[in-house]
Amino acid sequence: MVASVIGDQAQLANPNARWLEPTERALLGATAQGLVRFDAAGGIEPGIAERWIVIDDGRSYIFRIGAARWPDGTQVTAQDVVTALKRVAAADSRNPLAPYLTAINQIVVMTPQVIEIRLSAPRPDLLSILAQPELAIFQARGLAGSGPFRIIEDDGSSVLLRPDRDPQAIADESIDPPTPAEHVRLRGERAALAVARFVERQSDLVLGGGFDDWLIVRAAELPPASIRIDPAAGLFGLAIVNRDGFLAEPVNRAAIAGIFDRARFTTALRPDWAAAETLLPDQLDSASSPAIPEWATLDLSTRRLAARARVSIWRAQSEETAALRVALPSGSGSDALWAFLSNGFASVGLPVTRVAMDADADLRLVDRVAPYDSARWYLAMACNPCSDDAQAAVDAARAAPTLAERRAAIAIADIAVAADTPFVLIARPLRWSLVAQRLQRFQPNVRASHPLNHLRGDPN
């Protein structure tokens, strides 16, 4: 099987050092599993741990390590796992998921094959976090993991992966050795090249597609059955990263949030891509339904009229005339997004300029799939930065000692963040894949996660 991931060249990278690119995530997830991992539907299945129990009202997770092996054939032990997890949870870790592991008090070896993760407060979403590729268990030297694949060839532009099977079981003839047809050649490449390769039937799978590449897929006129859209949960919108000038006041930030005709943009790209106005997609683990911002109760013309009034007041009180800087990636989808955003800003007389994603900006695009189903992830992602009161409410939700108190604290935090308006939500993330008909195990899911060992044949 040949698979392309939209992004940079396929290579192993350490998630404890920086954010991983999509190709790096796919390769690490294929060669280094965590205690648990995602199945084809985005659910949780055993990884290095063959089973687990949750006790003490959700404050203790106990895992029994299974028959996982390192590439040299040695057994993965409880101590190996504890050492790897402590690296992630360390104070100086740059792992992107480290901020969501702050409830961990201790990670201890109970027996040579059993570990315990002790928490300061219940975390029912811990398994979903542990299943992320960023929390794969690997040896520090060489980033060597325990499968489900091994790298057997790296030609500089792609890697060849072989299913990892127990060599002793193969020798005993209890299982068959992997055949060349079960190997996966994985490459990272530009969206246009990946789509062209798929059209020419030179690949079986394209992963990692987003809104920015969607127009390429639409222009390719592929059979509808080949295009799979994930019902991805997460955030797609503008983080207000600079609170100077017009954006200093929450009423002005709320005015900005209300000036956009979201549905016009989303349906222009894809008719079934729904716009979104509330930060939380659902109630999730909050005690209340998602907080509805005040501007969302008004029609678009009224919202724009109010925003023009706020702009006029600001101009009368301030000598600043600099344009707001909006950071967007390059690409055809971003060009369409920029046209949509600049039209909204122009409708209320606010000058804007487009800058690169790594440039200084006032608003910056966020396009991320939620790693787990907790309202706290949405609030923490949006609150970057936010007011002292809103931040305190988000922190209180994180520190709540019981699930009931956490639900109540999340509801309060949702209201506080909505009032502060640190984020301009547009929609949920758009994620697409191209899938050959023979990969019948492929399943769209809310995690937009598609493990290479769950596409056909034996998933182990």
Side-chain angles (χ1 to χ4, degrees):
M1 182 181 78
V2 177
S4 298
V5 179
I6 296 173
D8 296 333
Q9 177 180 314
Q11 61 181 357
L12 285 174
N14 189 344
N16 298 334
R18 61 175 174 81
W19 283 93
L20 298 184
E21 296 298 325
T23 313
E24 296 169 337
R25 290 188 86 239
L27 184 56
L28 184 64
T31 59
Q33 60 192 333
L35 280 167
V36 293
R37 63 193 188 190
F38 289 124
D39 62 18
I44 302 300
E45 69 175 13
I48 286 177
E50 63 183 4
R51 58 182 181 271
W52 55 89
I53 59 171
V54 183
I55 60 175
D56 192 20
D57 295 326
R59 290 181 175 85
S60 174
Y61 285 70
I62 298 174
F63 297 88
R64 180 171 182 81
I65 308 304
R69 297 171 295 107
W70 297 118
D72 63 6
T74 59
Q75 187 82 7
V76 177
T77 67
Q79 185 59 62
D80 294 335
V81 175
V82 168
T83 299
L85 289 177
K86 284 184 174 179
R87 284 199 301 265
V88 177
D92 61 349
S93 173
R94 297 176 63 186
N95 191 295
L97 295 183
Y100 305 105
L101 302 175
T102 55
I104 294 179
N105 272 344
Q106 289 183 295
I107 309 172
V108 298
V109 174
M110 300 181 71
T111 76
Q113 294 304 118
V114 177
I115 75 164
E116 180 184 15
I117 299 178
R118 298 173 183 167
L119 308 175
S120 59
R123 287 292 182 269
D125 39 55
L126 182 63
L127 292 177
S128 291
I129 300 174
L130 293 176
Q132 299 289 330
E134 288 82 358
L135 291 185
I137 304 300
F138 54 85
Q139 295 173 309
R141 172 179 285 185
L143 303 176
S146 61
F149 288 91
R150 302 279 186 222
I151 297 176
I152 60 172
E153 177 186 302
D154 185 346
D155 64 11
S157 62
S158 66
V159 295
L160 186 63
L161 305 172
R162 181 189 66 202
D164 180 39
R165 294 180 184 164
D166 185 352
Q168 184 58 51
I170 292 174
D172 294 341
E173 299 184 348
S174 57
I175 63 172
D176 295 327
T179 65
E182 296 175 276
H183 294 181
V184 176
R185 183 165 294 280
L186 179 69
R187 58 167 48 91
E189 55 192 358
R190 295 180 295 109
L193 183 55
V195 172
R197 197 185 301 275
F198 185 87
V199 169
E200 295 299 321
R201 299 186 179 182
Q202 296 175 7
S203 72
D204 307 284
L205 179 69
V206 178
L207 297 174
F211 92 99
D212 211 22
D213 315 307
W214 173 248
L215 293 177
I216 297 173
V217 176
R218 199 167 71 178
E221 298 184 347
L222 288 156
S226 299
I227 304 170
R228 307 294 180 86
I229 305 297
D230 286 300
L235 292 175
F236 179 84
L238 300 175
I240 299 176
V241 294
N242 180 28
R243 294 189 166 210
D244 295 331
F246 183 76
L247 299 175
E249 297 295 327
V251 65
N252 291 346
R253 297 193 294 272
I256 289 294
I259 64 177
F260 301 111
D261 186 352
R262 291 159 170 79
R264 183 175 182 179
F265 168 70
T266 56
T267 57
L269 259 69
R270 183 173 172 86
D272 60 354
W273 187 20
E277 296 178 339
T278 61
L279 189 65
L280 304 186
D282 206 339
Q283 184 167 331
L284 300 176
D285 51 353
S286 173
S288 301
S289 299
I292 299 175
E294 289 187 17
W295 59 262
T297 63
L298 306 173
D299 63 76
L300 180 62
S301 60
T302 302
R303 300 195 311 250
R304 287 182 169 176
L305 183 64
R308 282 195 291 270
R310 293 304 310 172
V311 171
S312 297
I313 292 172
W314 174 68
R315 283 181 171 159
Q317 297 175 345
S318 172
E319 297 179 356
E320 297 182 42
T321 57
L324 294 177
R325 300 160 299 176
V326 181
L328 300 176
S330 59
S332 57
S334 286
D335 292 344
L337 177 59
W338 172 242
F340 157 72
L341 293 173
S342 55
N343 176 268
F345 283 112
S347 71
V348 297
L350 266 176
V352 289
T353 184
R354 177 177 176 175
V355 299
M357 283 294 287
D358 57 355
D360 291 338
D362 302 297
L363 302 102
R364 193 181 311 278
L365 181 67
V366 172
D367 181 13
R368 292 205 178 277
V369 175
Y372 60 100
D373 295 325
S374 173
R376 198 180 77 79
W377 180 85
Y378 293 85
L379 298 172
M381 283 292 295
C383 216
N384 188 28
C386 59
S387 69
D388 291 344
D389 288 345
Q391 186 63 61
V394 173
D395 292 343
R398 179 186 62 197
T402 68
L403 291 178
E405 290 172 290
R406 189 178 192 229
R407 287 193 292 270
I410 285 174
I412 293 171
D414 187 24
I415 293 171
V417 171
D420 186 59
T421 318
F423 194 92
V424 179
L425 187 69
I426 297 172
R428 302 301 164 193
L430 175 62
R431 294 292 183 270
W432 58 265
S433 303
L434 302 182
V435 186
Q437 187 174 359
R438 66 194 186 94
L439 302 183
Q440 297 182 357
R441 294 176 57 88
F442 182 98
Q443 295 185 49
N445 60 77
V446 297
R447 297 278 169 260
S449 174
H450 304 290
L452 298 179
N453 62 315
H454 280 295
L455 296 172
R456 60 178 185 180
D458 184 357
N460 297 312

